[in-house]
C-alpha cells in the first residue's frame, strides 16, 4: 500500500509537470496571439488615422507627396515593414502579415493600400519584460515541488520500512522495533509503537501466566478430585439426565465403566432422584446425603451434595468417596466406647447404657447388680513377668468374664485391672451371690500364658439397683467402695455395699467439701518439726507439716484429711498452698536472728510433683519472695521417684538447677534397687520411721537402717532419721553415724512461736 502511494506520488508529480507545461504553453500561445491581434488593431487604427492624410493625396494625384507620406509612415511605425500602392512598393515583404486597407474619401472608396506589418517587436518587448520572470517562477515551483516530493518519498520510505518491521515483528521474541529514522514524527510513531508493543507484551505475559496458573489449577483440581475420589456432576431438570465430565477419573478404582452403572449401584437411588426432583421444583434448598454402594462385594460410602442453579434449570453436585472417613468414624466411635486391649466396652459406654438398663429394670420391676472386680496383686504380675504378659492376662480375664455372663449382661473394663459387670433381670441378693460365686470360680482357675501357670485372685464389690441407690454414679461408687472393703478384708473375696460403708463415703464427701472451703478460708496452717544435727548439737532446719485448724473439731493432723484430699483430687491445691506459705516463711525468717539459718523442708505429693508446670510454679514463687533457694528442701517419696523414673529425674534436675535441695522421704519402704537410687539427683535421704521405731526390738530393722546409712554414705548424701522418740534409739542412731534426727524425742511439730522458744531453749542447754 505504501509502495503504491509513492508510485502514485511519482505519477502525480509527472502529470503535474506535464499538465503545468501544457497549460503554460497554451497560455503563452494565447498571449502571443492576443499580442498579434493587438498589433493588428493598432495597425488598423493607424491606417484609419492615416486615411485623412492619404485620401486627399490619392484623390488629387499628388503621387510624390503620397510616396513621401508612405515613406514616413514606414519610418515612424516600427511595426509596419511594407507598404504597396499601385506601383509604389516600400520596405520588405519578408516575414510580414499583409493587410489591405481601403482609402475612403467623402465616404467613397477611392483606392486600396496593402500594408505588411510584424508583431515581432511587441512580442520581444513582452518577452523582455515578463518571460524571464515567469521562467524563474516556474523553475522555483518545480524545484520546490521536487524537493517536497523527495522529502515525502523519504518519509514514506521510512514509514514503509516501519510497516515492514511491524509486519515481521515476532511479539514473543522481540521486545521493540529499532529506530529506522530519527526524524521527529517517525521517531514518535516508532516510540508509540514500541510502547504499544510493551503493553501487548505485558498483557501477553500476564495472559501466559494466567493461562499457566489455570492449567496448573485445573490439574490440581483434577488430581485433588482423583485423590479425594470424587467427581462433579449435573442433573438437567428438563431432561432428567445426570451427566459428569470427570467421572472417568474414578471409574478405574471401582471397575465401573459408565456413570449409569455407578448410579444403578446406589442403594438409595430412588430416594436421591426423588430429592433431585424436589430440588428442581425449588421445594428443597440443597442435598447432602450419604449413599451406599455395593461394588464387587465391597461396601462403599459416597457423599452426594448438590445445589440448584435456578437460571440454568440445572442441579450441580459432587459425589465423593468417604468410605475411609466413615470407617474411621466407626473406629473412633468404637474406640470411644470400647477398651482397645480387651475389646470390652468402657466406662463411657457403661454409664450411658446404665441409664437405659435402669429404666428397663424399673419397668419390669427387676434389680440390676453392679459388680466391681479388681485383680489382686496385678502390679506384682506386671513387675515380675512384664507388661506384655500383664496384657495377655487381662485379655484372658476379659474373655472369661464375657463367657461367664448372659447376653443381656455387660462386661466392661474401666481401668488397668478394674472390670465392671452389670447383671440384669435380678430378683434377689441371693441370686447375685450365687452368680458371683460362679464367676469367681471361673476367673480363679489357673491361667496358662506362654508356659507360665498363673493363679490369680480377685476382689469384688457389689451394689444393687435400686436397693442400694437409684443414682447411677453413686451405684458405681458404692461398688468401688465395696471392692476396697474386700481388699482391706484380705483380698480374694467379694463384698456387698452396706450402710457402714455408705456412711464412710458420705463422710468422705462431706470432709472433702469442708476441706475445699478450709483452703479458701485459710484454716490450714503450718507446723514445724526441728531437725537436729546430733553430731554437732545444733538445729539444722525444720520440716513444714500441715495442720487443719478445724472450726468445730479443733486442730487436725494430716492423718484426718491428706488421704481424702488425695483421693478427692485436691491434694495439689493443698501442696500449692503449703509451698507458697513455706517460701513466704523462708522470706520472713531471713531477717529473724533466731530463725534465719534454718532450712525448711516441704512435702510434695506425687500428684503435685507430676504436674507439668510444677517447676515453673516453684521458680516463680522463689522469684516472687526473693528467697535463697538453698534454704528450701522439697521432700518427695522414694516410691514416687521410682514409679515415674525418667520424668522424675528430669524434673529433679530442673529443681536442683534452681538451687533447691531435694530429700527422698520414707526411704526404705519403696524397695528400690541401688541401681535406681544412684541415678536420682537428691541431697538428703530420710530413713522411714517404721525402721527407726522398732530398732530396739527388730534386728532386721537395725540391719536395714545400718544399710541405709551406708548407702547414704556411699552416695555421699545427707541422712535424716525420722521418728526418734527416745534416748536409746538416739544412741543407736548416733552410733550408726546418722547426722540429722527428727522426732518426738526433741520436739513434735510445733507452731512458729513455739519453735522460737524451742531454739532459744536448745541453744541455752548447749
Ligand atoms: P512425713 O512426711 O513422713 O512426716 C513425718 C510425720 O511423722 C509427721 O506426721 C510427724 O509428726 C511424724 N513424726 C515425726 N517424729 C515422730 C515421732 O517421733 N513419732 C511419731 N509417732 N511420729 C513422728 P504428720 O505431721 O502427721 O504428717 C503425716 C504425713 O502427712 C507426712 O508424713 C506427710 O506424708 C503428710 N503431710 C504432712 N504435711 C503435708 C503437706 O503439707 N503436704 C503433703 N502432701 N503431705 C503432707
Ligand atoms: Ca516428710
Ligand atoms: Ca517421712
Amino acid at each position: 500500500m505504501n509502495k503504491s502511494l509513492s508510485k502514485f506520488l511519482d505519477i502525480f508529480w509527472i502529470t503535474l509537470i506535464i499538465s503545468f507545461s501544457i497549460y503554460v504553453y497554451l497560455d503563452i500561445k494565447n498571449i502571443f496571439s492576443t499580442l498579434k491581434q493587438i498589433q493588428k488593431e493598432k495597425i488598423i487604427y493607424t491606417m484609419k488615422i492615416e486615411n485623412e492624410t492619404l485620401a486627399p493625396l490619392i484623390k488629387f494625384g499628388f503621387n510624390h507627396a503620397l510616396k513621401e507620406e508612405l515613406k514616413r509612415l514606414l519610418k515612424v511605425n516600427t511595426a509596419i515593414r511594407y507598404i504597396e500602392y499601385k506601383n509604389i512598393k516600400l520596405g520588405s515583404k519578408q516575414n510580414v502579415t499583409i493587410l489591405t486597407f481601403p482609402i475612403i474619401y467623402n465616404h467613397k472608396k477611392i483606392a486600396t493600400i496593402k500594408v505588411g506589418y510584424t508583431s515581432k517587436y511587441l512580442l520581444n518587448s513582452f518577452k523582455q519584460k515578463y518571460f524571464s520572470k515567469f521562467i524563474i517562477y516556474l523553475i522555483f515551483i518545480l524545484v520546490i515541488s521536487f524537493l517536497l516530493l523527495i522529502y515525502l518519498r523519504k518519509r514514506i520510505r521510512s514509514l514503509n520500512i516501519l510497516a515492514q518491521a511491524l509486519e515481521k515483528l515476532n511479539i514473543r521474541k522481540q521486545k521493540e522495533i529499532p529506530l529506522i529514522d530519527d526524524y521527529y514524527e517517525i521517531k514518535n510513531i516508532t516510540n508509540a509503537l514500541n510502547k504499544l508493543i510493551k503493553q501487548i507484551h505485558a498483557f501477553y505475559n500476564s495472559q501466559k501466566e494466567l493461562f499457566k496458573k489455570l492449567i496448573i489449577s485445573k490439574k490440581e483440581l483434577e488430581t485433588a478430585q482423583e485423590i479425594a475420589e470424587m467427581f462433579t456432576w449435573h442433573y438437567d431438570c428438563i431432561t432428567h439426565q445426570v451427566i459428569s465430565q470427570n467421572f472417568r477419573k474414578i471409574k478405574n478404582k471401582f471397575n465401573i465403566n459408565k456413570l449409569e452403572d455407578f448410579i444403578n449401584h446406589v442403594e438409595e437411588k430412588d430416594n436421591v432422584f426423588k430429592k433431585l426432583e424436589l430440588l428442581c421444583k425449588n421445594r428443597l434448598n440443597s442435598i447432602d446425603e450419604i449413599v451406599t454402594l455395593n461394588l464387587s462385594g465391597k461396601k462403599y460410602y459416597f457423599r452426594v451434595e448438590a445445589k440448584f442453579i435456578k437460571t440454568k434449570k440445572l442441579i450441580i453436585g459432587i459425589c465423593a468417596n468417604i468410605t475411609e472417613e466413615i470407617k474411621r468414624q466407626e473406629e473412633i466411635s468404637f474406640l470411644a466406647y470400647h477398651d482397645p486391649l480387651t475389646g470390652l466396652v468402657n466406662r463411657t459406654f457403661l454409664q450411658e447404657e446404665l441409664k437405659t438398663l435402669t429404666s428397663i429394670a424399673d419397668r419390669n420391676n427387676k434389680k440390676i447388680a453392679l459388680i466391681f472386680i479388681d485383680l489382686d496383686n496385678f502390679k506384682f504380675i506386671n513387675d515380675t513377668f512384664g507388661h506384655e504378659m500383664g496384657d495377655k492376662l487381662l485379655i484372658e480375664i476379659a474373655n472369661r468374664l464375657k463367657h461367664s455372663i448372659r447376653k443381656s449382661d455387660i462386661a466392661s473394663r474401666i481401668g488397668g485391672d478394674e472390670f465392671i459387670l452389670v447383671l440384669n433381670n435380678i430378683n434377689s441378693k441371693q441370686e447375685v451371690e450365687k452368680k458371683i460365686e460362679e464367676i469367681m470360680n471361673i476367673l480363679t482357675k489357673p491361667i496358662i500364658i506362654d508356659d507360665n501357670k498363673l493363679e490369680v485372685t480377685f476382689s469384688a464389690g457389689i451394689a444393687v439397683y435400686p436397693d442400694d441407690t437409684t443414682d447411677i454414679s453413686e451405684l458405681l461408687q458404692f461398688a468401688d467402695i465395696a471392692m476396697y472393703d474386700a481388699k482391706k478384708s484380705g483380698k480374694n473375696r467379694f463384698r456387698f455395699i452396706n450402710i457402714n460403708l455408705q456412711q464412710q463415703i458420705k463422710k468422705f464427701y462431706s470432709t472433702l467439701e469442708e476441706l475445699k472451703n478450709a483452703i479458701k478460708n485459710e484454716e490450714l496452717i503450718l507446723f514445724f518439726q526441728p531437725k537436729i544435727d546430733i553430731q554437732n548439737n545444733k538445729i539444722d532446719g525444720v520440716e513444714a507439716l500441715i495442720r487443719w485448724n478445724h472450726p468445730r473439731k479443733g486442730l487436725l493432723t494430716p492423718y484426718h484429711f491428706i488421704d481424702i484430699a488425695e483421693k478427692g483430687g485436691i491434694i495439689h491445691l493443698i501442696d500449692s498452698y503449703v509451698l507458697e506459705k513455706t517460701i513466704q516463711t523462708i522470706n520472713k525468717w531471713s531477717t529473724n536472728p533466731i530463725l534465719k539459718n534454718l532450712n525448711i523442708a516441704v512435702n510434695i505429693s506425687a500428684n503435685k510433683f507430676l504436674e507439668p508446670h510444677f517447676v515453673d510454679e516453684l521458680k516463680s514463687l522463689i522469684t516472687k519472695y526473693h528467697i535463697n533457694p538453698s534454704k528450701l528442701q522439697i521432700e518427695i517419696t522414694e516410691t514416687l521417684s521410682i514409679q515415674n523414673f525418667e520424668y522424675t529425674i528430669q524434673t529433679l534436675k530442673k529443681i536442683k538447677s534452681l538451687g533447691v535441695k531435694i530429700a527422698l522421704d520414707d526411704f526404705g519402704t519403696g524397695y528400690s534397687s541401688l541401681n535406681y537410687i544412684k541415678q536420682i539427683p537428691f541431697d538428703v535421704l530420710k530413713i522411714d520411721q517404721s525402721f527407726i521405731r522398732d530398732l530396739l526390738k527388730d534386728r532386721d530393722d537395725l540391719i536395714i537402717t545400718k544399710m541405709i546409712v551406708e548407702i547414704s554414705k556411699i552416695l555421699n548424701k545427707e541422712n535424716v532419721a525420722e521418728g526418734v522418740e527416745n534416748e536409746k534409739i538416739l544412741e543407736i542412731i548416733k552410733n550408726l553415724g546418722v547426722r540429722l534426727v527428727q522426732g518426738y524425742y526433741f520436739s513434735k511439730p510445733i507452731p512458729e512461736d513455739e519453735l522460737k522458744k524451742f531454739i532459744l531453749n536448745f541453744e541455752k542447754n548447749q
Side-chain angles (χ1 to χ4, degrees):
M1 196 182 124
N2 287 322
K3 252 185 186 168
S4 65
L5 182 67
S6 76
K7 225 182 224 170
F8 167 78
L9 269 177
D10 285 356
I11 293 167
F12 177 76
W13 191 72
I14 290 165
T15 324
L16 188 82
I17 297 295
I18 292 171
S19 48
F20 194 68
S21 309
I22 292 170
Y23 172 76
V24 167
Y25 168 75
L26 290 175
D27 224 27
I28 289 172
K29 225 178 135 189
N30 213 6
I31 289 168
F32 275 31
S33 79
T34 312
L35 282 174
K36 273 180 188 163
Q37 192 64 35
I38 289 169
Q39 190 61 58
K40 194 180 168 185
E41 295 295 328
K42 217 173 156 183
I43 296 297
I44 291 167
Y45 180 71
T46 308
M47 287 316 287
K48 250 186 199 159
I49 291 172
E50 282 302 315
N51 189 66
E52 300 298 306
T53 318
L54 294 176
L57 290 177
I58 291 169
K59 177 83 184 170
F60 298 108
F62 300 128
N63 278 348
H64 184 74
L66 178 70
K67 201 177 174 180
E68 282 307 310
E69 186 57 32
L70 290 175
K71 269 186 188 166
R72 191 194 54 84
L73 187 64
L74 195 68
K75 204 176 167 184
V76 171
N77 205 318
T78 47
I80 298 171
R81 287 295 185 85
Y82 178 73
I83 300 175
E84 188 186 322
Y85 179 67
K86 290 182 180 169
N87 56 347
I88 302 169
K89 287 177 183 162
L90 296 170
S92 162
K93 238 173 142 181
Q94 245 180 2
N95 291 333
V96 294
T97 317
I98 305 288
L99 285 174
T100 308
F101 294 101
I103 299 295
I104 309 293
Y105 190 79
N106 278 345
H107 312 291
K108 271 181 201 159
K109 183 183 162 185
I110 56 169
T112 55
I113 289 177
K114 281 182 182 170
V115 175
Y117 73 94
T118 177
S119 308
K120 205 172 122 191
Y121 293 106
L122 198 64
L123 292 175
N124 278 350
S125 89
F126 169 75
K127 270 184 201 163
Q128 266 171 15
K129 264 189 183 162
Y130 300 109
F131 202 66
S132 57
K133 258 188 204 166
F134 182 76
I135 292 301
I136 287 166
Y137 287 151
L138 186 71
I139 290 169
F140 181 73
I141 285 168
L142 285 177
V143 167
I144 292 283
S145 72
F146 185 69
L147 287 176
L148 204 68
L149 180 86
I150 288 179
Y151 167 77
L152 275 175
R153 283 210 59 170
K154 210 178 157 204
R155 291 291 85 88
I156 285 166
R157 228 185 93 232
S158 305
L159 277 173
N160 230 348
I161 297 170
L162 197 63
Q164 281 166 8
L166 208 57
E167 220 168 89
K168 281 186 203 151
L169 182 81
N170 185 342
I171 202 108
R172 281 171 213 230
K173 293 180 192 159
Q174 242 168 299
K175 288 251 160 80
E176 56 175 29
I177 311 172
L179 193 63
I180 288 143
D181 186 338
D182 67 354
Y183 179 70
Y184 184 69
E185 253 94 28
I186 299 288
K187 214 162 132 183
N188 265 359
I189 293 173
T190 315
N191 284 343
L193 279 173
N194 280 338
K195 247 184 204 169
L196 191 70
I197 291 169
K198 234 185 216 167
Q199 280 180 20
I200 294 174
H201 243 278
F203 180 70
Y204 171 79
N205 283 338
S206 72
Q207 290 297 305
K208 213 161 90 179
E209 278 304 303
L210 216 67
F211 192 65
K212 261 192 211 161
K213 276 184 195 161
L214 204 70
I215 288 186
I216 291 170
S217 55
K218 195 181 163 216
K219 279 234 167 78
E220 275 177 4
L221 187 68
E222 278 180 359
T223 318
Q225 284 179 341
E226 211 174 324
I227 293 169
E229 288 175 9
M230 66 172 286
F231 61 90
T232 50
W233 52 270
H234 58 258
Y235 178 78
D236 193 321
C237 286
I238 296 158
T239 63
H240 312 285
Q241 291 259 315
V242 185
I243 296 165
S244 170
Q245 300 289 349
N246 48 18
F247 171 69
R248 64 195 155 78
K249 285 268 163 207
I250 70 157
K251 65 180 190 180
N252 292 339
K253 158 104 202 200
F254 300 100
N255 244 337
I256 285 188
N257 264 332
K258 281 187 290 174
L259 181 62
E260 268 169 50
D261 295 343
F262 181 87
I263 294 169
N264 286 334
H265 276 93
V266 174
E267 281 173 19
E268 302 83 351
K269 182 182 153 194
D270 294 344
N271 179 38
V272 173
F273 274 93
K274 225 183 258 169
K275 287 205 167 164
L276 285 175
E277 281 306 313
L278 287 177
L279 210 57
C280 284
K281 286 172 192 147
N282 235 337
R283 297 234 293 272
L284 266 181
N285 282 331
S286 61
I287 295 181
D288 187 353
E289 296 273 304
I290 291 170
V291 298
T292 39
L293 277 92
N294 232 322
L295 298 172
S296 38
K298 250 181 123 180
K299 200 166 190 168
Y300 291 96
Y301 298 91
F302 280 83
R303 164 164 257 137
V304 176
E305 279 179 86
K307 267 208 167 112
F308 179 51
I309 311 290
K310 219 175 184 176
T311 48
K312 294 190 175 163
K313 288 229 154 284
L314 202 74
I315 291 169
I316 290 184
I318 59 154
C319 182
N321 181 8
I322 53 160
T323 312
E324 291 297 316
E325 203 182 311
I326 295 271
K327 281 195 180 146
R328 250 198 310 278
Q329 269 172 14
E330 280 173 0
E331 266 167 37
I332 289 168
S333 65
F334 182 84
L335 284 179
Y337 289 113
H338 290 79
D339 159 41
L341 179 70
T342 62
L344 294 182
V345 296
N346 60 14
R347 184 192 284 267
T348 317
F349 179 88
L350 191 76
Q351 269 164 336
E352 283 177 22
E353 192 64 10
L354 275 173
K355 285 178 208 153
T356 325
L357 295 177
T358 48
S359 57
I360 294 172
D362 288 345
R363 242 179 290 137
N364 300 340
N365 214 3
K366 299 273 182 185
K367 300 176 198 292
I368 295 173
L370 201 91
I371 308 168
F372 201 119
I373 300 175
D374 190 289
L375 192 54
D376 295 330
N377 307 324
F378 180 62
K379 193 181 170 310
F380 170 78
I381 294 167
N382 248 345
D383 290 349
T384 326
F385 298 97
H387 283 272
E388 213 175 304
M389 185 78 151
D391 284 353
K392 284 180 183 170
L393 176 66
L394 291 173
I395 292 168
E396 176 56 24
I397 293 166
N399 281 335
R400 289 184 179 192
L401 281 175
K402 255 187 278 180
H403 291 108
S404 62
I405 56 174
R406 289 165 301 177
K407 252 212 151 118
S408 56
D409 299 335
I410 300 173
S412 70
R413 178 172 174 238
I414 59 156
D417 57 348
E418 295 171 336
F419 297 87
I420 287 182
L421 293 183
V422 178
L423 307 183
N424 285 301
N425 275 318
I426 299 291
N427 292 305
S428 66
K429 204 173 165 180
Q430 288 71 27
E431 198 184 324
V432 183
E433 234 174 293
K434 229 179 103 195
K435 188 77 201 159
I436 187 97
E437 268 162 13
E438 273 171 40
I439 294 170
M440 284 296 222
N441 276 337
I442 297 171
L443 288 182
T444 47
K445 283 203 176 107
I447 299 175
I448 295 165
I449 298 170
D450 302 337
D451 297 333
N452 293 302
K453 190 174 167 191
L454 300 176
E455 284 185 34
V456 286
T457 60
F458 298 83
S459 300
I462 308 152
V464 177
Y465 175 93
D467 299 4
D468 294 321
T469 176
T470 50
D471 182 298
I472 292 170
S473 59
E474 209 168 46
L475 197 70
L476 282 160
Q477 213 176 52
F478 283 179
D480 189 5
I481 299 291
M483 188 277 290
Y484 267 105
D485 193 45
K487 285 245 183 220
K488 262 205 287 189
S489 321
K491 300 180 180 172
N492 192 19
R493 67 198 64 209
F494 61 84
R495 280 274 186 275
F496 280 90
I497 188 81
N498 54 46
I499 287 287
N500 214 348
L501 285 173
Q502 286 183 25
Q503 273 168 357
Q504 276 178 32
I505 296 174
K506 291 218 170 88
K507 196 175 160 232
F508 170 85
Y509 282 104
S510 68
T511 313
L512 189 62
E513 275 318 298
E514 277 185 342
L515 193 52
K516 282 179 192 167
N517 290 328
I519 302 171
K520 279 186 224 144
N521 301 341
E522 303 232 344
E523 288 168 23
L524 300 178
I525 50 169
L526 290 191
F527 272 37
F528 304 96
Q529 188 178 31
K531 284 181 285 179
I532 315 294
D533 181 341
I534 50 169
Q535 308 290 350
N536 305 308
N537 281 328
K538 58 177 199 144
I539 298 164
D540 179 77
V542 296
E543 178 177 4
L545 292 155
I546 195 162
R547 296 293 180 265
W548 181 0
N549 200 356
H550 196 282
R552 276 181 291 111
K553 299 174 191 162
L555 205 60
L556 300 177
T557 59
Y559 165 79
H560 294 96
F561 60 91
I562 282 289
D563 205 33
I564 293 171
E566 236 156 36
K567 286 199 178 114
I570 60 162
I571 186 72
H572 64 285
L573 298 178
I574 293 182
D575 284 349
S576 285
Y577 177 85
V578 172
L579 186 65
E580 178 153 12
K581 282 271 176 249
T582 303
I583 292 177
Q584 218 176 348
T585 309
I586 294 176
N587 167 290
K588 200 173 88 185
W589 287 1
S590 68
T591 50
N592 185 305
I594 304 165
L595 305 165
K596 69 177 178 197
N597 289 325
L598 301 180
N599 64 61
I600 309 184
V602 62
N603 294 283
I604 295 296
S605 70
N607 271 323
K608 182 77 212 170
F609 184 83
L610 296 173
E611 269 182 357
H613 299 299
F614 174 64
V615 182
D616 295 335
E617 189 181 327
L618 182 64
K619 199 171 161 183
S620 65
L621 283 173
I622 289 171
T623 318
K624 185 176 168 188
Y625 292 101
H626 309 287
I627 64 150
N628 174 359
S630 69
K631 285 273 173 279
L632 180 68
Q633 246 178 50
I634 298 287
E635 288 193 9
I636 60 162
T637 61
E638 181 200 350
T639 326
L640 154 74
S641 66
I642 297 304
Q643 271 170 5
N644 308 279
F645 195 63
E646 290 302 325
Y647 182 80
T648 306
I649 285 181
Q650 292 313 315
T651 311
L652 288 178
K653 277 183 184 162
K654 285 184 206 161
I655 294 172
K656 272 187 77 84
S657 77
L658 297 177
V660 174
K661 295 265 159 48
I662 289 151
L664 276 194
D665 207 355
D666 304 343
F667 196 88
T669 56
Y671 321 103
S672 20
S673 80
L674 199 58
N675 206 17
Y676 276 134
I677 307 289
K678 72 175 188 205
Q679 293 180 59
I680 303 172
F682 68 98
D683 306 278
V684 183
L685 196 155
K686 296 189 84 173
I687 309 160
D688 191 69
Q689 38 182 301
S690 60
F691 304 115
I692 309 291
R693 205 187 300 132
D694 301 330
L695 223 50
L696 293 170
K697 295 173 243 162
D698 197 329
R699 248 196 77 78
D700 285 354
D701 284 354
L702 183 65
I703 295 166
I704 291 171
T705 310
K706 232 180 187 167
M707 272 166 58
I708 294 175
V709 174
E710 279 314 304
I711 289 171
S712 75
K713 282 181 181 163
I714 292 165
L715 296 177
N716 199 18
K717 309 287 182 193
E718 196 64 80
N719 52 39
V720 182
E722 256 185 328
V724 176
E725 291 187 359
N726 54 55
E727 207 164 353
K728 279 186 187 151
I729 290 180
L730 183 68
E731 208 51 41
I732 299 170
I733 291 287
K734 201 172 181 177
N735 290 335
L736 288 177
V738 172
R739 188 170 77 91
L740 299 171
V741 164
Q742 186 184 338
Y744 289 181
Y745 175 72
F746 289 109
S747 167
K748 285 194 169 183
I750 43 176
E752 190 183 320
D753 46 347
E754 276 183 45
L755 180 69
K756 279 186 208 159
K757 284 183 209 150
F758 172 83
I759 293 170
L760 290 173
N761 204 22
F762 184 87
E763 282 168 356
K764 216 162 70 188
N765 290 338
Q766 293 311 305

